[in-house]
Amino acid sequence: MSDPSVVDQQIVAAIPTPPTFPVAWESQAEANKFWMQGAANFPTPITPLDFTFFVKAVERGSNLAAAHYDSPDRGLFKLINTFAYFTVENPPDAPEVRAKRQAAVDRVEDDMVTTGQRWTEAWLPEIQQHLAFWDTFDLEGASAEALVAHIEETEQRLLRAWEIHFLLINPVLLALHLFEEMHHDLFPDAPALAAHELLLGFENKNVEGNRHLAALIEQARTHEEIRQALALESGEAVAATQSALMTTPAGRAFHQDLQAYLALYGQRSNSQTLHMPAWLEEPGPVFQHLRAGLDAGESSVSSLAALAARRDQRLTQVHAELSGHPPMVVAKFEELLACAQTAQQLSEDHNYWIDIQVTYRIRRICLAVARRLVSGGKIDRVEDVFYLTLDELRQAASPASPLELRERISARQAEARRFEFEVPPPVLGTPPSPEEMAAMDNALARAYGKMAGGVVPATGDTDQRLFRGFGVSSGKAKGPVKIVTTLEDAAKRLVPGDVLVTEMITSYWIPLYPRIAGLITMRGGMLSHGAVVAREHGLPAISGVQGATSLLQEGHWVELDADAGEIRVLDSGEGD
């Protein structure tokens, strides 16, 4: 790569940026990197505090895990026009670099067998200790000095939480990928999603949350007074609903159960950011889910027993087909199956404990500082705090701080308004060369690729009613198209039986699953949170559908065949 002509060629081949999304690179070296919008975790605009407090902890945690495995590669996030972009920094290609990279992947593979045990016996108890540390600190009564020290201690604990996250997620993704590959090698004629049938029917925290919500819906269904309270649609719907519930014994019992649900799952918000309120703070989304569930009739959340029966049926077939293979092959398959089944659970459990629970605690700290700043006249509104950086937050928490905050907050809020409705380019900078891509290719990289997914290119079909993607959760479904761009929009507009069409979903969309018939996305892979939980719900889902949000029309009925990866627009009358 020392030939100047190669560098010049890379610069010329830079990805053009839309005129509405100007990018000012800090250096040519930065422009020469390949930047991917962090849609898997941060698909929406984020604030300066989101980025400097939270996203940079994710970056540093991933790099600590990379160092643990002695990988030569490191990740880097950059905030561009309020969106988080990610790149991988790696040394120049050389045989010894490739060998070191493969050795790191081999270490991850060695860890697959013990990941579940390490999570149960070490990592989860440590995460729970961190949560207890945050929960027991007196945010309101602490002195300014103690609060600043608490923020500094929190930085280290947050960093450790994200190191654990990546020490776990690397073997989790690799186990799921290697199992899927071996299943395909042994059973090449099996449907594409057949391997995942063997991973169904195990409880995890995200599915558990939807089951608890479904139980609340069934409880409400049996009491007319609860249904009437939930049907209130006044301007103060949440307060009015809660007041109405407290007027009857059944309503009070339901309210108590609802509070227990929120104590367990109310730390969730509509995005993995610090600036969005959690359900515990603003439970409106929960009431929307309850109303939608009542409208839907019978719950669509698949029972664990039914899913386990599907798994066992497929496993019986697999064992019969494996009988003619060498014992070593069978033993390897059983080992990978066990690793993948554990990985399926951990994929969602870690999301609950780290992505949701930890993030909520960090938000509480930010809000505590914000209230002091408002009281001290340093900022005007509590929510303004999220337009500070972490360094500014730490300095502002000290009563003696001379920082003038309002002007910088105002400028950053103006930038947020400018890009609020902008669709960020999925990639920026300079694409890697084929040689660079080949150097980075390995099993773990392919596993991460299955999490991010891709787009199925147009096939030249003359049938304009047929669209193709790749199935991520098997089954067939039929329903009217509902195109949404944000989770807030989806929560308000989706009605039972809709086919949800959107660009990409994250784990924060999962509570919507019980009310939809099918899911179509443009991005998101087989190992994404959305795909994993769709399979646990028995929800037919197709991803990688190029132009889905612009080519499909709102209200038109479609039929999904997720196993074939096909979507057919139905003629008038076929949807009846």
Side-chain angles (χ1 to χ4, degrees):
M1 298 294 292
S2 59
D3 183 351
S5 65
V6 176
V7 177
D8 291 343
Q9 183 179 5
Q10 286 187 327
I11 295 172
V12 171
I15 300 165
T17 56
T20 56
F21 202 86
V23 179
W25 299 110
E26 294 182 12
S27 66
Q28 188 60 58
E30 190 177 69
N32 288 345
K33 298 181 186 299
F34 182 57
W35 297 88
M36 298 162 282
Q37 204 277 309
N41 292 299
F42 312 110
T44 56
I46 61 175
T47 68
L49 195 57
D50 287 325
F51 185 75
T52 55
F53 202 162
F54 183 66
V55 177
K56 295 303 281 187
V58 174
E59 172 193 297
R60 292 192 292 268
S62 71
N63 288 336
L64 285 174
H68 171 82
Y69 289 114
D70 198 24
S71 168
D73 307 313
R74 297 294 184 268
L76 176 66
F77 274 101
K78 179 177 176 64
L79 188 62
I80 303 176
N81 299 335
T82 75
F83 289 91
Y85 279 80
F86 177 78
T87 192
V88 177
E89 296 186 308
N90 40 58
D93 187 30
E96 57 271 21
V97 172
R98 294 196 186 196
K100 187 174 184 179
R101 186 174 290 127
Q102 184 57 51
V105 175
D106 293 342
R107 293 186 190 97
V108 175
E109 184 173 355
D110 291 341
D111 279 354
M112 291 189 321
V113 175
T114 59
T115 299
Q117 181 180 358
R118 284 182 294 158
W119 171 253
T120 302
E121 296 180 0
W123 292 336
L124 178 56
E126 182 180 344
I127 292 295
Q128 291 170 331
Q129 289 173 4
H130 294 312
L131 297 177
F133 165 80
W134 287 313
D135 289 343
T136 55
F137 184 81
D138 184 3
L139 287 169
E140 302 304 324
S143 67
E145 293 76 13
L147 184 57
V148 171
H150 185 68
I151 293 171
E152 293 172 349
E153 175 69 16
T154 290
E155 291 180 61
Q156 298 308 309
R157 290 176 179 265
L158 179 61
L159 178 58
R160 173 58 181 163
W162 280 98
E163 180 184 11
I164 290 173
H165 176 284
F166 285 99
L167 290 174
L168 177 139
I169 201 63
N170 285 327
V172 158
L173 291 177
L174 187 60
L176 292 167
H177 166 71
L178 293 178
F179 171 70
E180 187 182 60
E181 294 292 296
M182 186 171 190
H183 185 280
H184 176 73
D185 290 342
L186 292 173
F187 312 110
D189 297 327
L193 291 164
H196 296 279
E197 294 279 312
L198 298 171
L199 311 181
L200 296 176
F202 298 99
E203 189 69 281
N204 65 62
K205 296 298 290 186
N206 280 332
V207 172
E208 176 189 275
N210 272 7
R211 295 190 200 288
H212 281 223
L213 190 62
L216 284 172
I217 292 169
E218 292 308 306
Q219 182 180 352
R221 200 186 305 281
T222 60
H223 293 88
E224 176 64 24
E225 59 267 47
I226 300 177
R227 295 200 303 274
Q228 290 179 354
L230 291 174
L232 292 174
E233 294 288 354
S234 69
E236 300 293 332
V238 172
T241 296
Q242 297 197 60
S243 296
L245 287 172
M246 300 305 290
T247 61
T248 66
R252 287 191 292 272
F254 179 83
H255 185 267
Q256 183 176 354
D257 290 341
L258 176 60
Q259 296 309 305
Y261 168 83
L262 288 173
L264 287 172
Y265 309 106
Q267 300 80 11
R268 177 186 293 274
S269 73
N270 281 355
S271 70
Q272 190 172 349
T273 58
L274 300 176
H275 74 273
M276 290 294 292
W279 290 355
L280 271 171
E281 302 166 64
E282 297 182 10
V286 178
F287 286 102
Q288 289 177 340
H289 294 316
L290 290 170
R291 294 188 189 101
L294 288 172
D295 293 341
E298 185 177 351
S299 172
S300 64
V301 179
S302 300
S303 72
L304 283 179
L307 292 169
R310 283 174 56 189
R311 180 189 73 221
D312 291 343
Q313 182 180 13
R314 173 61 186 159
L315 188 57
T316 299
Q317 297 173 345
V318 165
H319 283 154
E321 296 178 35
L322 282 174
S323 60
H325 287 79
M328 290 183 61
V329 172
V330 176
K332 184 62 177 178
F333 180 85
E334 295 290 353
E335 178 187 280
L336 285 178
L337 172 60
C339 289
Q341 288 175 338
T342 299
Q344 178 100 335
Q345 296 173 271
L346 295 180
S347 171
E348 302 312 307
D349 284 355
H350 91 275
N351 177 262
Y352 171 86
W353 287 107
I354 300 177
D355 300 51
I356 295 173
Q357 298 295 329
V358 169
T359 303
Y360 172 71
R361 270 65 176 193
I362 308 307
R363 173 175 166 81
R364 289 183 66 242
I365 296 170
C366 298
L367 291 176
V369 176
R371 288 189 290 269
R372 296 190 184 205
L373 296 180
V374 170
S375 177
K378 294 185 176 181
I379 63 176
D380 297 324
R381 295 169 298 274
V382 167
E383 57 268 26
D384 289 349
V385 77
F386 297 106
Y387 293 88
L388 301 177
T389 66
L390 175 56
D391 285 341
E392 292 166 350
L393 180 79
R394 195 187 301 108
Q395 293 179 57
S398 171
S401 172
L403 283 181
E404 169 52 49
L405 304 177
R406 285 184 173 83
E407 286 189 10
R408 63 189 74 191
I409 287 172
S410 178
R412 292 164 185 169
Q413 288 174 335
E415 182 188 33
R417 289 191 295 271
R418 176 183 178 185
F419 295 103
E420 182 178 5
F421 301 107
E422 188 70 30
V423 177
V427 293
L428 292 170
T430 305
S433 68
E435 294 78 14
E436 289 170 327
M437 292 180 66
M440 293 292 293
D441 181 51
N442 55 63
L444 185 58
R446 292 192 291 274
Y448 270 97
K450 286 183 179 178
M451 188 174 186
V455 173
V456 175
T459 60
D461 289 326
T462 57
D463 187 352
Q464 297 184 355
R465 300 181 307 165
L466 185 66
F467 298 86
R468 300 183 188 276
F470 55 88
V472 296
S473 180
S474 66
K476 295 182 179 180
K478 184 187 296 186
V481 165
K482 185 64 63 68
I483 300 172
V484 298
T485 57
T486 67
L487 178 53
E488 292 78 9
D489 184 35
K492 293 175 183 176
R493 296 179 53 231
L494 283 172
V495 298
D498 279 344
V499 172
L500 170 59
V501 180
T502 190
E503 182 175 356
M504 184 175 182
I505 62 170
T506 67
S507 62
Y508 293 84
W509 294 64
I510 289 169
L512 298 173
Y513 283 8
R515 70 168 100 163
I516 60 177
L519 174 65
I520 300 171
T521 62
M522 294 170 60
R523 291 194 285 169
M526 188 75 73
L527 302 185
S528 65
H529 289 297
V532 169
V533 181
R535 293 191 288 270
E536 292 288 352
H537 279 76
L539 176 69
I542 299 177
S543 188
V545 184
Q546 189 172 19
T549 56
S550 57
L551 297 177
L552 293 171
Q553 296 186 37
E554 180 93 6
H556 281 196
W557 277 66
V558 295
E559 184 175 46
L560 284 73
D561 183 346
D563 294 282
E566 293 182 350
I567 302 136
R568 186 169 69 91
V569 178
L570 301 178
D571 290 328
S572 177
E574 286 188 277
D576 298 335

